[in-house]
Amino acid sequence: MAYRILCGASGLVMLLLGVGAFVSFFLYHGPGSAGAGPLPIGPGGAYYLGALGCALVAWGGALVGAARRPAAAPWLASVTALALVMNAVVRMVAWVVGDYAYLGDVLRVEAAVFLMLSLAFIWLKPRPVETARSA
């Protein structure tokens, strides 16, 4: 049950962030838009933000599907944990580099949250059920 809640909640968050990132691309390029936002991204960053939104919608949808039928995609927990660890590593390196000092402790907090979520996905993932083979 905990795995289903983890997948469902994570999937919904990713769906919402994905739609938000996708819409942000169009808002950035909209008429009269100053391109304002919390981070200075420029046109290239807006492009990648739109692409990221598409990927997050796909990933979030897969997690929502896994929440409905966990046994249908037990591998999803492993690849989600890997992606979360990769996200944490990016944030830790960005914090060490120092170019993102204006973000304060956000990078360290995000890295910790991503690492904890990755552990949850590994610990809670459904285990394969052994079935007897019939000849």
Side-chain angles (χ1 to χ4, degrees):
M1 182 63 170
Y3 179 73
R4 294 178 83 173
I5 293 169
L6 178 64
C7 284
S10 298
L12 287 175
V13 168
M14 287 183 191
L15 283 169
L16 292 173
L17 289 174
V19 169
F22 181 74
V23 169
S24 293
F25 169 79
F26 295 99
L27 292 176
Y28 180 86
H29 291 290
S33 170
L39 298 173
I41 58 172
Y47 174 80
Y48 283 106
L49 192 60
L52 170 71
C54 298
L56 283 175
V57 166
W59 188 9
L63 284 170
V64 169
R68 295 180 65 213
R69 292 186 46 215
W75 51 268
L76 190 58
S78 299
V79 295
T80 297
L82 174 63
L84 290 168
V85 168
M86 291 169 66
N87 269 296
V89 168
V90 166
R91 279 149 179 82
M92 288 186 275
V93 170
W95 179 74
V96 170
V97 168
D99 291 342
Y100 306 92
Y102 64 93
L103 294 173
D105 289 332
V106 170
L107 296 173
R108 287 188 285 178
V109 170
E110 285 181 342
V113 168
F114 287 149
L115 290 173
M116 286 188 291
L117 281 172
S118 69
L119 285 174
F121 272 101
I122 293 300
W123 284 337
L124 297 174
K125 82 177 184 177
R127 302 292 175 228
V129 177
E130 297 283 331
T131 59
R133 290 187 175 205
S134 57

